[in-house]
């Protein structure tokens, strides 16, 4: 079995896909949204019951605070689990911490490749690539890419999809 050298100097077996992870901007965005939602809920849950019923009732704030403290590292684990690889005939998308899910989308089956970016994503300089196939169950998405990478991936997947579907 032949091996190839990766950019970081590590060896990989020939034929193994080269996985690409998601940029750190997606993790920053998701963590900010966690704080934006759970921060005020924590403060409100502490102040309102304490003001209305006494300081003991402020302990209810521990629930959203616990969710915030638990969610912070969980978002990091989820972000690290997302990756994708372009192979000769298909695109692989892998994700999941407890339940790993790997989606294989053959280029010839792609019908539409979209790049989307909502207002929060645009603020963080991110975009998502949505892949649509004939079977709705195989639609796949790669979230949180740099817009230039999302457009490059869209153009490449569209080109490969047209080339592969022409042979059908």
């Amino acid at each position: 079995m032949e091996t190839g050298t990766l950019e970081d100097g590590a060896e990989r077996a020939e034929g193994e896909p080269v996985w690409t992870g998601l940029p750190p901007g997606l993790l920053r965005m998701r963590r900010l949204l966690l704080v934006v939602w759970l921060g005020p809920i924590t403060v409100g849950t502490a102040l309102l019951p304490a003001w209305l019923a006494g300081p003991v009732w402020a302990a209810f704030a521990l629930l959203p605070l616990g969710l915030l403290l638990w969610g912070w590292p969980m978002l990091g684990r989820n972000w690290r689990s997302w990756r994708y690889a372009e192979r000769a005939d298909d695109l692989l998308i892998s994700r999941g911490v407890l339940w790993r899910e790997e989606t294989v989308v053959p280029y010839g089956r792609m019908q539409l490749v979209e790049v989307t970016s909502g207002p929060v994503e645009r603020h963080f300089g991110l975009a998502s690539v949505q892949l649509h196939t004939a079977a709705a169950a195989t639609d796949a998405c790669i979230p949180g890419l740099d817009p230039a990478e999302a457009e490059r991936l869209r153009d490449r997947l569209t080109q490969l999809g047209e080339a592969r579907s022409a042979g059908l």
Side-chain angles (χ1 to χ4, degrees):
M1 175 169 32
E2 297 180 29
T3 60
T5 303
L6 299 176
E7 290 178 15
D8 63 359
E11 296 286 323
R12 71 171 172 87
E14 195 63 39
E16 286 288 316
V18 178
W19 292 98
T20 305
L22 300 181
L26 178 65
L27 179 60
R28 281 192 303 276
M29 180 190 77
R30 287 182 174 173
R31 283 182 169 166
L32 177 67
L33 290 174
L34 179 74
V35 171
V36 164
W37 282 103
L38 287 178
I41 291 173
T42 301
V43 171
T45 309
L47 295 179
L48 192 61
W51 180 61
L52 294 175
V56 175
W57 293 95
F60 280 113
L62 293 176
L63 179 63
L65 179 63
L67 285 173
L68 192 139
L69 295 175
W70 175 78
W72 191 273
M74 291 301 109
L75 286 173
R77 289 181 66 193
N78 181 272
W79 169 77
R80 283 188 299 278
S81 77
W82 276 85
R83 58 192 186 149
Y84 66 96
E86 300 173 59
R87 296 194 305 185
D89 296 320
D90 51 32
L91 177 74
L92 301 175
I93 301 171
S94 179
R95 64 189 169 279
V97 177
L98 291 177
W99 286 272
R100 301 279 310 155
E101 184 175 330
E102 191 166 297
T103 304
V104 179
V105 183
Y107 297 134
R109 301 287 181 184
M110 290 183 201
Q111 293 184 329
L112 175 68
V113 182
E114 290 181 299
V115 174
T116 61
S117 186
V120 176
E121 286 179 310
R122 281 194 306 274
H123 177 75
F124 282 89
L126 301 172
S128 296
V129 175
Q130 178 75 39
L131 309 163
H132 298 278
T133 63
T138 58
D139 287 357
C141 180
I142 304 172
L145 297 174
D146 293 320
E149 170 65 7
E151 290 175 11
R152 182 205 65 82
L153 190 58
R154 177 201 58 209
D155 294 343
R156 177 169 161 67
L157 295 175
T158 301
Q159 181 184 27
L160 288 168
E162 289 172 356
R164 298 297 192 279
S165 66
L168 292 179

